[in-house]
């Protein structure tokens, strides 16, 4: 069953009673019935599409991002107090587009305006792209939602990193909020 809206604006109308400003709605308190799939897709670069067409209104994307939820089954949903519709997400729903060090903390900003501080509740990890072997770094933004860290931001983290020995291997490590995160092991080019 696919839920058909004539436009994303129709879905926005159902969200008009949500909190304004930077306050996130209490979606963790809502348990609406599943109403089907909607043809909204978040691409790996953070772009949002409706029926294959880009959603260009930044305010609309921001609004949708505030009611985005990832359930235990790994599926992503837009949730209102009265309905829940499934959407498709190619990778992570958000992209971390900048990082800034302030004292001993690293502050990240996402493409939808979320901010988080790398630390206990906002961890960082790096996976490897299966085909290319390139690193794919992520940060937990909120609840069960993550951001892929874009290349420029990852390079900034590499510039901030220090070399540390972990389990006999040299790693590039960053610190924030008294926690340490490996950006990956580095090979000693002198041994090649």
């Amino acid at each position: 069953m696919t839920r058909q809206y004539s436009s994303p604006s129709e879905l926005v109308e159902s969200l008009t009673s949500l909190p304004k400003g930077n306050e996130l709605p209490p979606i963790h308190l809502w348990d609406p019935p599943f109403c089907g799939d909607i043809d909204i897709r978040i691409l790996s670069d953070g772009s949002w599409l409706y029926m294959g067409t880009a959603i260009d209104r930044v305010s609309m994307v921001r609004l949708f991002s505030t009611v985005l939820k990832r359930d235990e089954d790994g599926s992503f949903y837009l949730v209102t107090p009265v309905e829940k519709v499934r959407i498709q997400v190619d990778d992570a729903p958000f992209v971390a587009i900048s990082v800034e060090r302030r004292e001993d903390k690293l502050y990240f900003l996402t493409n939808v305006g979320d901010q988080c501080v790398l630390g206990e509740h906002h961890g960082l990890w790096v996976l490897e792209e299966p085909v290319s072997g390139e690193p794919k770094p992520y940060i937990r933004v909120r609840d069960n939602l993550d951001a892929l860290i874009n290349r420029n931001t990852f390079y900034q983290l590499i510039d901030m990193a220090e070399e540390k020995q972990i389990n006999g291997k040299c790693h590039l490590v960053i610190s924030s909020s008294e926690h340490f995160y490996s950006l990956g092991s580095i090979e000693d080019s002198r041994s090649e």
Side-chain angles (χ1 to χ4, degrees):
M1 165 170 81
T2 300
R3 170 73 182 206
Q4 286 296 323
Y5 290 91
S6 60
S7 71
S9 299
E10 188 179 320
L11 180 57
V12 169
E13 287 177 28
S14 69
L15 302 174
T16 56
S17 64
L18 297 179
K20 305 294 184 237
N22 290 331
E23 186 179 339
L24 292 171
I27 63 173
H28 62 284
L29 301 176
W30 302 341
D31 190 23
F34 175 63
C35 297
D37 296 312
I38 184 171
D39 191 5
I40 290 181
R41 180 175 170 200
I42 305 174
L43 303 179
S44 59
D45 68 0
S47 301
W48 288 58
L49 306 177
Y50 176 70
M51 297 181 70
T53 303
I55 302 175
D56 293 325
R57 287 182 46 200
V58 174
S59 60
M60 187 178 292
V61 169
R62 173 61 186 157
L63 178 62
F64 288 160
S65 76
T66 65
V67 295
L68 183 63
K69 181 178 185 178
R70 185 175 189 182
D71 273 354
E72 299 81 31
D73 66 1
S75 295
F76 293 87
Y77 300 90
L78 296 179
V79 180
T80 73
V82 296
E83 67 182 342
K84 175 168 88 170
V85 292
R86 184 174 29 230
I87 67 168
Q88 298 302 309
V89 177
D90 287 356
D91 193 343
F94 309 131
V95 177
I97 58 172
S98 70
V99 63
E100 178 184 353
R101 180 174 288 287
R102 292 186 228 149
E103 297 177 13
D104 71 332
K105 295 179 173 69
L106 291 174
Y107 292 78
F108 287 80
L109 177 67
T110 72
N111 61 315
V112 295
D114 283 319
Q115 296 182 36
C116 60
V117 177
L118 179 61
E120 182 178 0
H121 301 293
H122 303 280
L124 181 145
W125 64 99
V126 180
L127 302 178
E128 186 176 295
E129 173 62 41
V131 176
S132 68
E134 293 289 318
K136 287 183 68 171
Y138 296 87
I139 185 169
R140 176 63 42 98
V141 176
R142 57 182 149 89
D143 302 319
N144 198 19
L145 301 173
D146 306 321
L148 175 65
I149 299 171
N150 73 10
R151 186 176 299 250
N152 291 341
T153 304
F154 187 57
Y155 287 160
Q156 290 175 20
L157 292 174
I158 290 171
D159 285 343
M160 296 177 197
E162 298 177 4
E163 292 183 15
K164 300 252 187 215
Q165 289 290 320
I166 301 174
N167 298 326
K169 290 186 178 180
C170 187
H171 284 252
L172 287 177
V173 175
I174 56 171
S175 65
S176 178
S177 306
E178 300 180 1
H179 290 81
F180 294 90
Y181 303 90
S182 173
L183 301 178
S185 64
I186 56 176
E187 296 179 11
D188 185 359
S189 60
R190 294 169 289 199
S191 66
E192 294 179 355

